[in-house]
Every structure is written in structure tokens, then in C-alpha cells.
Amino acid sequence: MSERAWLGADAASPAVDALTLIAEGVTRVAGFRVATVGLVRGNELETVAVAGDDEARSALLGARTPLDSILAELELAEHWGPLRFVPHESLPVDLQVWGWVPDLLPLEGPDAWHPMDALCAPLHSGSGEMLGMLSMDLPDDGRRPGPEAQRVLAAYADQATRAALLALEREQLAEQVRLASAARQIVRDAPAQLGVEEVLAASADALMQGFRAVGAWLQIFADDGLGTGRLVAADGTQVALPGRLVRTAERSARASWAAQRVDVVSREHLQAPALSARETSEIVDFLDEIRVGSLLFVPIGAAHEALGNLVLTRLAGAPGWTAAEREAALDIGHDLGRVVLNARSFEREHRMVEELRALDSYKGRLIATVSHELKNPLTAIVGHLEILQDEPTDPAVSASVDAIDRGARRLARVADDLLLLAKVGDPDHPVVPRPVDLADVVADVLALQEHSLTRKGIEVVVEKPEEPVVAMAEAEEIERLVTNLVSNAGKYTPSGGRVTVCLAVEGDEAVLECTDTGLGISAEDQEQLFQEFFRSTNPLALAQPGTGLGLSIVHRIVSRHGGRTEVESRLGEGSTFRVRLPVAG
């Protein structure tokens, strides 16, 4: 049988709920007004989940599209990691339109979203079989997503793949045994956003109906591998299991998981090799106390790790547990194990993302605050120094005043760099792009730095095409970017060297290169080159004054413009820094 198991129309709801959650996440978090999930049905793709626009939902939900048409269009796509982007300009004129085309007037600019643009993530199994597709349309900002948005969408594509696989695998289990409702219920409530206890509560009725049980409870080990000592019943109440039996259950779960075995315990029928006679007697006495005739002890785990146990109970006189029920229960133990791992991974990732966001926000606020607080006293110091420099003083005093002035101005430049770093790293300070002629920016920067470069005996060469090279960017930030690259090249190029600035247009990118014949950068240093405050390990480079912020600012500016920064360098042979920015249409 194929590893893909089909969801019939009457059985699709549980799986669709999980897939709809992911589609809704794309519309709420990733900044798209429409998101859909389709599953492969033979040689067609059926849209089973639509989030966002009501018109899109009405047009797309339940629609089937030939796979051949989809695969043919994907042949034209640009590969953005797991995402596939088909720009409207790549489509043939006679293309047969499928799906839903929004009524949208595109914005200006090369990155404007067009109604015929298509962005999707094909969902594949581990063996490469196509399971379905996550698609998104109508970005809130009207622009094609940049690198950060692409990373968010890639994470949702990964979630969609896991959800699709989980849904389809559980359907295959439902076909093998008559407990389809219980398996589908677990699949439906398996997204990582839910904890295991919530899964049990959501699937309790289906579990107990499917297994003809009167009760169900869970014990999940903590992250350190030890039992929590807390058991939750299907109805949400806490099971008062004696501590000695909790420890017995922990040990039995590990032994049963290692043997991939489900145990049955009752007064009439014992099938628990991991239990001693005394432990079995204690369990039977406990069953009598809670008026239960027998229990099915199901280990929960993933790979080689036991994560807990599920207990299903029946009243005295009820039918015994069949081999098919034990086999299905063991499969559900695997399902719940994946739920546990997904829930833990989701919680850890969520905590990590929140901590990183908080840390980055705090760092930005700290840098901005410290820099701002430095600026005011530095301005006063420089002002008073200018007054002192105009006064007749002893030569030794004048030398000291000049030294203080140099130090204060250098510190002021550091404060300016820190303020700019905080600005370009602030997600609440978006780029407002407009066409910027890079040749004009380069000319302005070189005019300002001409004196220092000429005094050092450095030849400056500018190479540019006849047609203007115009980028979509903020002019002020691009001017700072070029200033940092040129000044950096001049700083590390010895007297008699050369700095070459090249401009070009390559596809939809405006390219600026700054090449020097200076010290060069080792491969080890290149790995950390764009980190804040990083200084080269080369002693010759360390001899030059600097804060390690210049290239970090360049990288931040380029990244927030949706561009790329590249470096090519060999120690002792000079360096080339290449910046790629979105070209203006």
C-alpha cells in the first residue's frame, strides 16, 4: 500500500481542522490575506482548507486541480528553500488559469505583488512522494515576501508537512482496524499547539467508544525522564493513584515500550511480564477499589524513548481485550508520543523565540539609550573644546586639548554608529523605499572622502554602465552603506593601493561592488565579519582604529532592504564587498 492514505469526504474533518489551523496561522502571523492547504487525490489536488478571504474560500474550498497543471507551473518557479515562487512575468501568455485570481491593483516597484504571482510550498513525505501543497496569496503589504517572511513561511510549510503526514498516517491505521474514530480524533488534535492532556480531553469520547472502555487516563514523564506523579483522566479529573503504583507504572511503561508491548491487567487475566506478583496484586486491589474490572496498559513513546503511558479501563464482566485492540492501542501510543515531542518542541521553540525577541528588543533599546545619553554630554564637551582651542594657551595644554578633542569626536562617531545600528535593527522602523541612483550616492561619498584617500595616495576607480543603476531603497541608509564600504576599503589599503567601486544591474538586482588591494580577510574572520563589535584577528588590521560596527551596519541595512551582502577576500590580496539590492522598476 502507498504510504499515502486517502481522507474520504466523511472522514476529512479531523485532519482538515489541523490543516486549517496552519492556514490560519499563515494569515495571522505571516502577513497573507489568503492561505490554502490542498491534499493529493490520485492525479488531482483537492483544496481542503482555506483561511482568510471569504471570496477565496467560496471559490477554492473543495476545488480539484489536475496535478499535471500544477507540476508544469512549478517548473517555472524560483526556489526559495522549501517555497516555490512563480512570478507572473514567467508565465506563458496562453497559460490556462486555475484556482482563484484576486481582483488586485499591484503597487509600484519590482517587488510588488501581482494578481498572477503564485507562492506555495509542496508537501512531500520522507520518500519524496507529494502529499499536498500549502499556498498563500495577497500579502498584507502588497509586496513579495523578503527573507524574514520567507523564513516564517518555511516554518509553516514544515508544520503543514508534519500535519499532513500525521493525518494521512492515522488514516492508514484507521483502515487497518475498526477503531477509525479514535485514531482520527487523535490525529485531529495532534498539532503541537495542544498539550497531551488537551489531546486526551478532546479524544476521550472517541477513545472510549472505539475501545469500548469506561475510562482513560494519562501519565506523562517530565522532560528529565521521570514521572510527573500526576495522572489526568479523560474527564479532566485527577486520578488518585498511590505513589508506589505511580513508580510501578513508570518502570512498566519503559519495559513495555522497549518490548513494544501492550499489557492487560485484571483479576482473571494477567498479561504483564514486567510486574512482580506483589505489584500485580497491588494493581488488582486498586482496580477493585475504583470498581474497574480490567485495564489496558499502553506505553507512550517515540523512537527509543518512553514518554509515559495511557491506561484504558473496562468494567468487570466486559469482553476481554482483543489482539487487534492491543495492536491499535500500541499505534496510538506512538501517536501520542509524537504529540508529546511536538508539544515539547513547540513550547521550547516558542520560549526560545520569545526570549530571543525580548533579548534583541532589549539590546536595541539599550544601545539606543546609551548612545543617546552619550550624545548630549559629548556635544557639550566638543563645544567647550572648540572654545578652548580658540584661546591662547601653553603648547602642552593645547596638545592635551587637541587629544581630548580627537577622543571626544571619535566617541561621538561611535555613538552615531550605535544609534544607527539600533535604528536599522528595529523591526518597528520599516524601510520606506524610493528610487535611488547609486552612481549619485557613490559620487557624493567619494567627494567627501577624496581628501583622506588622496592624502594616503590611494587611487580611486569608478566603473559604471551607461544606463543608471537605480535601487529601491532609503537614500540616507544607502549613503551610509557606501560610506562605510569606501572608508573601510581606504582604511585597510596601504599607500599606493587602489579602491574600485563598480555598479551593475543583474536581473532584478542592483549590484554595488567595492574592491580594494588592502590587507585581505582570513576565512576564519569572514565567518564573523558582520557581527556587531567584531574585530579582525589580523594584527595589522587591529592596529587601525575602529569599533567593529561598520560592516555590521552595512549588513543590517542590506538585509532590511531585502538584499544580500557578499564578500570575497584572501589574506594579503585585498577584498571585494558586493551588495545586492532590489532594482527599481
Side-chain angles (χ1 to χ4, degrees), residues 221-287:
F221 303 154
D223 285 347
D224 59 8
L226 301 177
T228 62
R230 179 171 180 264
L231 290 86
V232 178
D235 61 2
T237 60
Q238 187 168 340
V239 180
L241 190 66
R244 187 169 60 252
L245 292 185
V246 170
R247 292 188 292 273
T248 298
E250 292 173 13
R251 185 173 54 79
S252 298
R254 292 189 176 87
S256 298
W257 182 256
Q260 288 296 286
R261 182 188 65 243
V262 170
D263 294 331
V264 176
V265 179
S266 70
R267 188 171 294 280
E268 296 78 18
H269 182 80
L270 299 178
Q271 195 183 50
L275 301 177
S276 67
R278 179 180 60 81
E279 290 169 336
T280 302
S281 177
E282 290 174 345
I283 293 174
V284 170
D285 289 344
F286 176 71
L287 295 182

Side-chain angles (χ1 to χ4, degrees), residues 484-518:
N484 284 7
L485 289 178
V486 173
S487 63
N488 222 48
K491 181 193 300 184
Y492 297 110
T493 299
S495 178
R498 184 174 64 255
V499 173
T500 304
V501 180
C502 296
L503 299 176
V505 174
E506 296 180 4
D508 59 355
E509 294 177 326
V511 183
L512 181 147
E513 282 186 2
C514 185
T515 301
D516 62 63
T517 58

Side-chain angles (χ1 to χ4, degrees), residues 48-68:
V48 299
V50 181
D53 188 273
D54 290 338
E55 181 184 346
R57 183 180 294 106
S58 176
L60 294 174
L61 193 59
R64 290 175 176 255
T65 305
L67 265 184
D68 290 343

Side-chain angles (χ1 to χ4, degrees), residues 569-584:
S569 183
R570 294 184 65 178
L571 202 58
E573 299 183 11
S575 305
T576 294
F577 287 88
R578 186 178 301 106
V579 166
R580 298 179 180 274
L581 298 167
V583 73

Side-chain angles (χ1 to χ4, degrees), residues 227-555:
T228 62
R230 179 171 180 264
L231 290 86
V232 178
D235 61 2
T237 60
Q238 187 168 340
V239 180
L241 190 66
R244 187 169 60 252
L245 292 185
V246 170
R247 292 188 292 273
T248 298
E250 292 173 13
R251 185 173 54 79
S252 298
R254 292 189 176 87
S256 298
W257 182 256
Q260 288 296 286
R261 182 188 65 243
V262 170
D263 294 331
V264 176
V265 179
S266 70
R267 188 171 294 280
E268 296 78 18
H269 182 80
L270 299 178
Q271 195 183 50
L275 301 177
S276 67
R278 179 180 60 81
E279 290 169 336
T280 302
S281 177
E282 290 174 345
I283 293 174
V284 170
D285 289 344
F286 176 71
L287 295 182
D288 289 342
E289 182 180 330
I290 62 174
R291 299 179 182 178
V292 166
S294 66
L295 62 82
L296 190 66
F297 185 84
V298 185
I300 295 171
H304 301 294
E305 183 182 5
L307 300 171
N309 60 75
L310 166 68
V311 173
L312 300 168
T313 62
R314 284 179 180 168
L315 297 174
W321 303 93
T322 66
E325 288 171 330
R326 293 197 296 271
E327 181 181 351
L330 184 59
D331 285 342
I332 289 174
H334 284 261
D335 297 337
L336 290 174
R338 283 192 288 270
V339 172
V340 173
L341 291 184
N342 285 342
R344 288 179 178 174
S345 297
F346 181 82
E347 290 169 2
R348 283 194 295 267
E349 291 170 4
H350 182 71
R351 287 197 301 268
M352 185 180 299
V353 168
E354 291 301 317
E355 289 170 1
L356 288 174
R357 284 177 177 168
L359 181 61
D360 193 57
S361 176
Y362 172 75
K363 183 181 72 173
R365 292 196 305 272
L366 178 63
I367 289 175
T369 300
V370 171
S371 305
H372 184 75
E373 292 301 318
L374 284 173
K375 287 286 289 183
N376 291 334
L378 281 171
T379 301
I381 291 171
V382 171
H384 285 285
L385 284 170
E386 290 175 349
I387 295 174
L388 290 175
Q389 288 171 333
D390 292 337
E391 297 293 328
T393 56
D394 184 85
V397 174
S398 295
S400 295
V401 169
D402 290 341
I404 295 171
D405 182 63
R406 289 193 299 274
R409 292 183 185 278
R410 181 179 176 186
L411 191 54
R413 287 194 297 272
V414 173
D416 287 337
D417 282 346
L418 288 171
L419 282 170
L420 181 59
L421 184 68
K423 172 189 170 185
V424 298
D426 185 0
D428 296 325
H429 184 82
V431 172
V432 182
R434 63 179 180 83
V436 176
D437 190 325
L438 296 185
D440 291 345
V441 176
V442 170
D444 291 343
V445 170
L446 291 178
L448 291 173
Q449 299 198 21
E450 180 181 10
H451 176 69
S452 61
L453 293 171
T454 303
R455 185 176 59 186
K456 196 174 178 182
I458 295 175
E459 178 188 5
V460 178
V461 178
V462 177
E463 298 177 357
K464 59 182 181 178
E466 294 183 3
E467 295 296 324
V469 178
V470 183
M472 286 300 295
E474 284 195 6
E476 180 183 349
E477 293 189 11
I478 298 305
E479 181 178 356
R480 186 56 180 270
L481 179 155
V482 176
T483 299
N484 284 7
L485 289 178
V486 173
S487 63
N488 222 48
K491 181 193 300 184
Y492 297 110
T493 299
S495 178
R498 184 174 64 255
V499 173
T500 304
V501 180
C502 296
L503 299 176
V505 174
E506 296 180 4
D508 59 355
E509 294 177 326
V511 183
L512 181 147
E513 282 186 2
C514 185
T515 301
D516 62 63
T517 58
L519 302 178
I521 307 164
S522 67
E524 293 77 11
D525 284 354
Q526 289 181 41
E527 295 178 0
Q528 307 176 67
L529 200 56
F530 300 114
Q531 293 181 9
E532 293 94 336
F533 306 105
F534 173 74
R535 297 298 310 278
S536 171
T537 56
N538 185 348
L540 295 176
L542 286 174
Q544 299 292 332
T547 61
L549 291 175
L551 290 178
S552 176
I553 291 172
V554 168
H555 187 62

